[in-house]
Amino acid sequence: MRKLNEMMDRPVIDSAVRDYLRQEQKQLTGKLADIERFANENRVPIIPHETVTYFIWLFNLIKPKQILEIGTAIGFSAALMVEHMHEDGHVTTIDRNPDMYERAEALFAEMAIEDRVTLMKGQANEILAELPADTYDFIFMDSAKAKYYSFFPDCMRILQQGGVLAVDDVLQGGTILDSKEDVPKYRRKIHRKLNDFLEVVLDHPALDTTLLPLGDGLLLITKKEAYDFDFMRQD
């Protein structure tokens, strides 16, 4: 299983408000409800319920057809997106961890959605480099946080103009605001790379960007126009 995310217990908003968002909003039913409950009980990192309800609202609004997910985990978010994307839509999802993608494959089979999901196994940077340009209208990036910076150029290359990139867990329990000296050494790379990433995207003229305090911070980026972000590959 994937190493537990220590930030799961560091809400970026008042904990009582967070609990209200998770408990009082409409709950899932069926298999997705079972998977959400299993993950929460067993400390498996999945998108929290406030992000679940936001994605349901967003997908019912924009109805994406071609979705890419970077970081399959146990398949929960991919299965959720299948349920709420365009009726002719398809999800492609990437993961390199056999413990995770085997669970995801089992979930997709149990929900009979294998024909609507393509699971690509391997290193995300290698797979992203091979994907054709302007393919996806929605990308969800929920993988190694230190890799967001270097994954971003390919995400923008393969995202259609007007498409949306959603990036999860960018606030790190609020610790991205800490000075480098106050961050434990084992987390300094994540701290540095997330701050470098946010410095590029939050005010870039080719992008429309908003940062929401859902979960551990959900960043939404709309590709307004094509731009060459290849300078981010050099780091």
Side-chain angles (χ1 to χ4, degrees):
M1 292 288 282
R2 179 176 296 175
K3 183 179 179 181
L4 292 178
N5 178 2
E6 63 182 296
M7 298 302 172
M8 290 172 69
D9 299 313
R10 300 189 64 169
V12 297
I13 61 173
D14 180 87
S15 58
V17 175
R18 177 201 61 186
D19 292 344
Y20 179 84
L21 294 176
R22 294 182 180 181
Q23 296 166 11
E24 299 303 322
Q25 297 194 84
K26 184 181 293 185
Q27 300 296 304
L28 296 172
T29 58
K31 185 60 182 177
L32 283 177
D34 294 340
I35 295 297
E36 185 180 44
R37 187 179 308 110
F38 167 83
N40 291 335
E41 291 174 354
N42 290 275
R43 310 278 296 156
V44 178
I46 62 170
I47 56 173
H49 194 70
E50 63 269 31
T51 303
V52 168
T53 59
Y54 177 74
F55 271 7
I56 292 172
W57 175 86
L58 179 65
F59 273 41
N60 286 332
L61 182 69
I62 66 175
K63 288 296 184 184
K65 290 185 177 181
Q66 289 297 326
I67 300 169
L68 176 69
E69 178 184 51
I70 308 168
T72 311
I74 60 174
F76 174 75
S77 50
L80 178 76
M81 291 188 287
V82 165
E83 285 202 348
H84 295 279
M85 65 185 177
H86 191 277
E87 60 183 8
D88 297 324
H90 192 87
V91 173
T92 300
T93 183
I94 303 170
D95 210 293
R96 65 181 179 87
N97 185 337
D99 289 339
M100 289 292 175
Y101 63 62
E102 288 173 4
R103 288 172 177 263
E105 286 178 318
L107 174 63
F108 300 154
E110 187 172 355
M111 294 184 66
I113 58 174
E114 302 108 310
D115 61 333
R116 306 196 72 190
V117 183
T118 297
L119 177 54
M120 304 185 77
K121 304 169 185 177
Q123 297 289 345
N125 62 324
E126 297 174 359
I127 293 172
L128 288 170
E130 298 298 321
L131 295 175
D134 303 318
T135 298
Y136 301 97
D137 51 358
F138 188 89
I139 299 175
F140 180 42
M141 185 155 59
D142 186 15
S143 56
K145 314 314 169 194
K147 297 290 187 180
Y148 286 174
Y149 186 92
S150 59
F151 289 170
F152 185 71
D154 272 321
C155 286
M156 287 296 101
R157 180 183 60 81
I158 64 179
L159 185 66
Q160 299 170 6
Q161 186 167 331
V164 174
L165 167 65
V167 188
D168 207 18
D169 300 326
V170 297
L171 294 180
Q172 291 294 284
T175 62
I176 62 161
L177 302 177
D178 295 344
S179 65
K180 182 181 71 173
E181 292 74 19
D182 294 331
V183 175
K185 288 185 178 180
Y186 70 92
R187 282 202 286 108
R188 284 184 183 174
K189 182 177 181 181
I190 292 176
H191 179 269
R192 176 174 61 85
K193 298 306 296 181
L194 278 176
N195 273 285
D196 289 348
F197 174 59
L198 292 170
E199 185 176 358
V200 172
V201 304
L202 286 180
D203 194 34
H204 197 282
L207 311 171
D208 278 334
T209 307
T210 186
L211 181 53
L212 304 178
L214 297 173
D216 194 16
L218 181 67
L219 178 70
L220 295 168
I221 300 170
T222 300
K223 179 180 175 181
K224 292 171 56 180
E225 58 189 62
Y227 187 89
D228 185 356
F229 288 96
D230 277 358
F231 68 91
M232 299 171 74
R233 300 180 191 276
Q234 300 171 5
D235 191 85

